[in-house]
Amino acid sequence: MTIETRQAIDPRHARTFDTAQLRAEFLIEQPFVPGEINLVYSHYDRMIVGGAVPSAGDLVLDSARETGTPGFLDRREAVIVNIGETGTVRTGSGPHELNHRDMLYVGLGDGPLTFSGAAARFYILSAPAHRHFDTRLVTIDAAKRVDLGAAATSNDRSIFQFVHPDVMESCQLVAGMTTLHGGSVWNTMPAHVHDRRSEAYLYFDLPEDARVFHMMGEPSETRHLVVKNEQAVLSPPWSIHSGAGTASYTFIWAMAGDNVDYKDVDMVEIGDLQ
């Protein structure tokens, strides 16, 4: 298992970054490594983001020095998403089979985590938790679906809310998935920020020769990251998080912070972006 620590970056400091520095601080270039658990420990709301690919046998996430606790989930909750073929995640309370695009919420203390499935690809999200909620599997069919946008504005998309107050309870993790329909490429535009929460994005189902331009930065000092399939982005509270792709794609969004109010955002008018 590999865990990399990323420090929180002040927006005034981020304004000075070149492309290489932006990518080093905010882009997770290879979360999915065959036969490994590969994680990033972020100082934005202590979120942990990464992947597990049990291609050669079971992988176990039991403890991590970065959490300062004997067990990984002793003071944390987690969300596991399978973006590959069917696999199994065993928690302290038992095994859970995840099909493609299913999400598993794992409550505080329900570790260790064992990942299995030769063709499974597990995306891992975790944040500190203050109370226990039961571990729960939410399938793509059980998620709440919200259709937004239109083909005329190139943002016809479906939002699937999994770990979300309208579906289930959690401490501070909120997670879901957005799919762009054919011919649409824009997500989350008009843009917004939410200074009370940090966020992470994983882009997938993107053709290998396609890219997403992930928009970030302060509204008056925007930047971008060029992201390819199965790469993730850490989104700080002060940053917008919008994007446009050279082809349609799907992304997993997750947030952690002061509340679980999905609509608690500060909108930014398109005319105010610079």
Side-chain angles (χ1 to χ4, degrees), residues 34-173:
E36 295 184 16
I37 297 174
N38 189 29
L39 304 174
V40 169
Y41 182 100
S42 169
H43 280 273
Y44 292 117
D45 289 296
R46 306 285 174 174
M47 286 185 70
I48 292 177
V49 181
V53 185
S55 54
D58 291 358
L59 295 173
V60 179
L61 179 51
D62 189 5
S63 63
R65 182 188 62 82
E66 287 75 5
T67 66
T69 55
F72 183 76
L73 293 179
D74 285 355
R75 293 179 61 85
R76 287 181 162 270
E77 60 187 349
V79 173
I80 315 296
V81 191
N82 185 12
I83 65 167
E85 297 181 20
T86 301
T88 299
V89 178
R90 177 176 290 276
T91 71
S93 58
H96 307 270
E97 185 177 84
L98 278 70
N99 294 315
H100 183 60
R101 298 194 179 200
D102 289 347
M103 291 194 188
L104 175 68
Y105 170 81
V106 186
L108 180 149
D110 196 15
L113 302 172
T114 301
F115 303 92
S116 59
R121 300 173 77 78
F122 296 107
Y123 181 49
I124 301 170
L125 298 152
S126 178
H130 60 276
R131 60 174 291 195
H132 172 82
F133 291 99
D134 289 342
T135 295
R136 176 177 170 181
L137 175 66
V138 183
T139 66
I140 183 69
D141 293 332
K144 180 181 177 180
R145 176 172 173 166
V146 180
D147 295 320
L148 293 176
T153 48
S154 302
N155 66 350
D156 183 19
R157 64 199 190 276
S158 295
I159 298 173
F160 297 88
Q161 298 168 341
F162 288 77
V163 182
H164 184 280
D166 289 345
V167 179
M168 60 167 290
E169 285 190 286
S170 63
C171 284
Q172 63 165 323
L173 271 176

Side-chain angles (χ1 to χ4, degrees), residues 179-241:
T179 297
L180 277 293
H181 298 302
S184 289
V185 296
W186 273 105
N187 74 74
T188 325
M189 182 60 73
H192 61 259
V193 297
H194 34 63
D195 198 50
R196 294 155 293 281
R197 299 191 303 276
S198 302
E199 197 158 354
Y201 274 53
L202 173 75
Y203 293 96
F204 72 107
D205 279 355
L206 186 70
E208 285 301 319
D209 61 349
R211 296 293 185 268
V212 171
F213 284 72
H214 176 90
M215 309 302 173
M216 62 167 297
E218 298 167 280
S220 60
E221 288 279 349
T222 59
R223 302 289 188 270
H224 71 269
L225 296 168
V226 180
V227 182
K228 66 180 183 179
N229 188 49
E230 295 188 0
Q231 290 186 330
V233 176
L234 299 175
S235 182
W238 45 263
S239 175
I240 65 169
H241 41 272

